[in-house]
Amino acid sequence: MSEQTPAAVTAEDQARLAAAKKRAGRSAVIGAIFLMATSAIGPGFITQTATFTATLGAAFAFAILVSVIIDIAVQLNIWRMITSSGKRAGELANSAIPFSGHVIAVLVIIGGLAFNIGNIAGGGLGLNALLGIDTKLGGLLTAALAIVIFLVKKAGPVMDVVLIILGIGMIGMTLLVAFIAQPPVGEAIRQTFVPDELNFATITTIVGGTVGGYITYSGAHRYLASGHVGPEHAGPVMRAAANGIVVTGVMRYVLFLAILGVVASGVTLDLSGQAANPAGQAFGAVLGETGIRIFGAIFWAAAISSVIGAAYTSATFLSTFHKRFLGGWSLQWATVIFIVVSLIVYVSVGTAPAAILVFVGGFNGLILPFGLTVFMYIGWFRRDLLGARKYPLWLLIAGTLITALTWYMGFASFTQIFAFLGVGA
C-alpha cells in the first residue's frame, strides 16, 4: 500500500472539513426552523387555541387566518434582515437608530420572562394531566429539568429527538381527535373568511403567541449559527422561515378543528379552575383517560422545550448591553438565572396556569409593533446595513401594513388583554 503524499492528505482533509462544515450548517438551519416552530407551538399556543375555540367557536378560524398572514410578513422580513446583516436584532437596530436596540432588548426580555412564566405554568399543567401532581410542583420539576438539559450538552440532542417524536405524536393525536369529533368543517371554512364575530384581543393574543416577543427573533438568531449569512443567502433564509410558518399554521388549524368538533358536540370546557386545561379536557372527551395522560406528556414536552427556547433567546439580547453575552458561560448562566426568576414569579402568583398562558400571548402581541417599526425603518431607509442596495418592495409594503395593523390591534385590545389575568380569579 503506497504512502499518501502530504498534498493528497491535505486535499482529503480539506474535503472532510468542507463536508463537516456543510453538515454543521445544515444542522443549524434545521435547528433554526425547529426552534421557531417549537417556540410557536408551545403550551401557550395549545391553550390559547383551545380557550378561544371554546369561547368563539367557528369564528376563531378568521383569527387563525389573520395570524398566519401576520406571521408571514413578520418572519420573512425579520429573518431576511438579521441574516443579511449578520447581526443580532439588538445590534442591528442600534446601528440604524441609536439605543433602539436597547429598547427592543428590554421589551423582548420582559416579554420573554412573561412567556417563560407561562411555559413553566404549562409544564405544571402537563405533569398534572400526566401524573396528577399539583401544578406548582409540576412547574418546579419542569424548570429544574430544563436547567439540567440546558447545561448538560449530551442531553440536548436526546431531548431534540424526544421532542420530534412527541411532536409527531401530537399531530397524530390531534388528527385522530379531529376525525372522531367530526367538526363542522363547512362552517369553519366559511368563517375563516367571513366571521360572525371579530375580536382584536383574540387576534393580538394568538399573534403574540406565535410570533410575538422572543419568537420573532428566535429562529433568525439560531440561523446566524449556520454561517450562511449575507444577502446572497436570502433565498434559503426565506424558504426556511416559510417552512416554519407553514408548520405552525397547519398545526393551529388542525388543533382548532379538533377542539371545535368537541365543543360543537356539546362538551363544555372548564376555563377558570386552578388546574383547568381546556385542550387536555377536549382530548380526554374523545380519547378518555388514556388520551389525557398521553396529551399531558406531549403538552409537558412542548412546555419544557419552550422554557429553554424562551430563556436562551431572551438571554441572547443581553449582548446588546455587553459583548460577554455573545456566548460562553456568561450566556449560559444568564439563561439559567432567567429560568429561575421565571419559576419564582410563577410560584408566587395566584393566577391559574391557563389564564397565564392566554395573557402572555396577548402581552407579547402588544410589544411586537415597536420592534417591527424599527426593522421597517431599516428596510426603507438603511439598506446599507443589510449588505445590499435592493430589498423586495413587496416584502417592505407587506411588513409596513402589518406593522400598522399590529399597532392598531394593540391599542384596540390593550384593556381586554390585561383582563385575561382575571380568568382564573
Side-chain angles (χ1 to χ4, degrees), residues 61-77:
F62 178 74
I64 295 174
L65 175 64
V66 174
S67 73
V68 170
I69 293 172
I70 292 175
D71 288 357
I72 292 171
V74 171
Q75 292 288 17
L76 292 185
N77 273 294

Side-chain angles (χ1 to χ4, degrees), residues 120 123-124 127 134-146 343 346-347:
I120 291 173
L127 289 181
D134 179 74
T135 54
K136 297 284 187 182
L137 176 59
L140 174 62
L141 293 174
T142 299
L145 187 56
L343 173 64
Y346 166 62
V347 173

